Every structure is written in C-alpha cells, then in structure tokens.
Amino acid sequence: MAKIAIVYFSGYGHTAKQAECVQAGALSVPGTTVEMLRIDQEGNLSEGAFEQITAADAVIYGSPTYMGGPAWQFKKFADASSKPWFTQAWKNKLAAGFTTSASTNGDKANTINYFFTFSQQHSQIWIGLGLMPMNAKANSHEDTNWTAGFAGALGISPSDANPDEIRKGDAESARQLGIRVAEFAPRISS
Ligand SMILES: Cc1cc2nc3c(=O)[nH]c(=O)nc-3n(C[C@H](O)[C@H](O)[C@H](O)COP(=O)(O)O)c2cc1C
C-alpha cells in the first residue's frame, strides 16, 4: 500500500494534464492512493495539504518550466515547507518530479534539478524516470522518453497546443513515472 501526494502548479493546464497522467499510472498499481494537491495561482495549497504530504510515503513534484525554472507559485510552496523541513518531517519519503514547457529544451532540466535539490533539503529519496531514451530516426513524440531525460518526466507542450493535445510519449512517460513511484514506495516505507 503506497500513499502518494502529487504536489503541482499549472498556469494554463498543461502541467495539470501531465499530473493526471502521473496519477493514472500510480493508481494502476493495486493498493495505491493518490492525493492531488494543486498549488493555486497565488501559490497556496488548500488547508490540510501539508499534513497530507506528511502522511504520504512518496511526494511527486510538478511545475511548468517558466523562465528557465519552476514557476514562482511552486517556489512559494517550497519556501512555505520550511516548517516541516525544520523537523525533517518528510525525511526518507520517496520523491520524484515532472515538468513541461513549450520549447524542446526550454531549460526544463533546471526545474527537475530544483525539485531534486528541494527533495534533498527534506532528506527525501529521489527516484528518476527509469526509461531509456527513444532517440533513433524511427522514434517520434509517440514514444516514451523521446525528450531523453532521466531525472524526471519531461513534456513538450507547444505554445499553440491545448492541454488535451499532450503528446502520447509525454503522457506515457508521466504515467510510467507514477507507476515507478507507486511500485517503489512500499519498499521504502516498510
Ligand atoms: C511566464 C512564462 C515563462 C515561460 N518560460 C518558458 C521557458 O523558460 N522555457 C520554455 O520552454 N517554455 C516557457 N514557457 C512556456 C510554458 O512552459 C508552457 O506554455 C507550458 O505548457 C505551461 O504549462 P502550464 O499550462 O501548466 O502553465 C513559459 C511560459 C510562461 C507563461
């Protein structure tokens, strides 16, 4: 049984769509429960969300990449987590992350690297995507990890695409991240 919290911000719905894919993957692993904790436009979580994170076995962080890093709303959440940090309340929980942005590169790695650093401030255990890159001529955005990131699930959401146009490969990569976390979390928490 794994309890997973997905903590994410989304300005225009693309990261929210990715979060739903992570959630679907996690829920496909029997016995898993998922709390979807969306940071609002003011950078706040609903009441009780911090307690839900503290009760979880694993926390998956998500944010769009804005100006080469996580959105400020995510950073506001991160700064607000200094209280559980002080008591290391999230220590030894599994952590993972996902991000999407309009450009192929778009400096998404900075956002994932921020999540990693943030998780280490909380003494969490980082888990990456675990999928080989699909980088041959025959590959396309239909394939998992076609963006070839190992540290987290990445997505490319073209500037004129709506969230429902999420690429099949990005949706499946996010789903696989959810599965991986859900499968590993019970091993860590037992
Ligand atoms: C303020 C702002 C900054 C952005 N900065 C980047 C960036 O650095 N790299 C990039 O590839 N896309 C950038 N974008 C595009 C977004 O990452 C992209 O539209 C993404 O799908 C938004 O996700 P959301 O719908 O969850 O907010 C930026 C968009 C905004 C609004």
Side-chain angles (χ1 to χ4, degrees):
M1 285 283 282
K3 275 191 212 167
I4 298 176
I6 302 178
V7 184
Y8 66 101
F9 171 74
S10 181
Y12 304 93
H14 297 88
T15 315
K17 191 76 197 172
Q18 212 180 6
E20 286 169 19
C21 298
V22 176
Q23 177 192 31
L27 289 176
S28 73
V29 177
T32 306
T33 60
V34 177
E35 296 289 352
M36 294 292 273
L37 305 177
R38 184 169 180 166
I39 299 164
D40 68 21
Q41 300 298 322
E42 280 73 48
N44 299 317
L45 281 169
S46 56
E47 208 176 313
F50 276 91
E51 288 74 15
Q52 288 174 296
I53 298 169
T54 301
D57 303 303
V59 194
I60 308 178
Y61 303 111
S63 171
T65 294
Y66 285 172
M67 302 313 292
W72 68 262
Q73 288 89 345
F74 187 91
K75 187 61 168 61
K76 183 174 173 183
F77 151 73
D79 290 2
S81 77
S82 60
K83 199 173 169 195
W85 170 83
F86 200 71
T87 58
Q88 290 287 283
W90 300 350
K91 187 172 184 174
N92 293 340
K93 295 181 190 303
L94 211 52
F98 60 93
T99 188
T100 189
S101 84
S103 304
T104 302
N105 179 311
D107 294 324
K108 283 183 261 280
N110 281 342
T111 302
I112 297 292
N113 290 344
Y114 177 74
F115 292 153
F116 168 74
T117 302
F118 175 61
S119 77
Q120 299 312 291
Q121 291 246 340
H122 282 285
S123 301
Q124 294 185 257
I125 301 164
W126 186 262
I127 184 165
L129 186 60
L131 294 174
M132 288 299 283
M134 294 292 135
N135 55 14
K137 281 196 288 186
N139 292 125
S140 74
H141 53 68
E142 299 269 301
D143 299 307
T144 50
N145 204 13
W146 69 291
T147 54
F150 286 93
L154 307 180
I156 299 174
S157 39
S159 54
D160 54 350
N162 71 54
D164 288 332
E165 292 178 87
I166 185 170
R167 263 73 178 269
K168 189 177 161 199
D170 293 342
E172 183 57 19
S173 297
R175 206 179 73 85
Q176 291 292 332
L177 183 72
I179 291 173
R180 186 160 154 90
V181 172
E183 287 179 343
F184 265 85
R187 298 193 215 171
I188 304 271
S189 60
S190 61

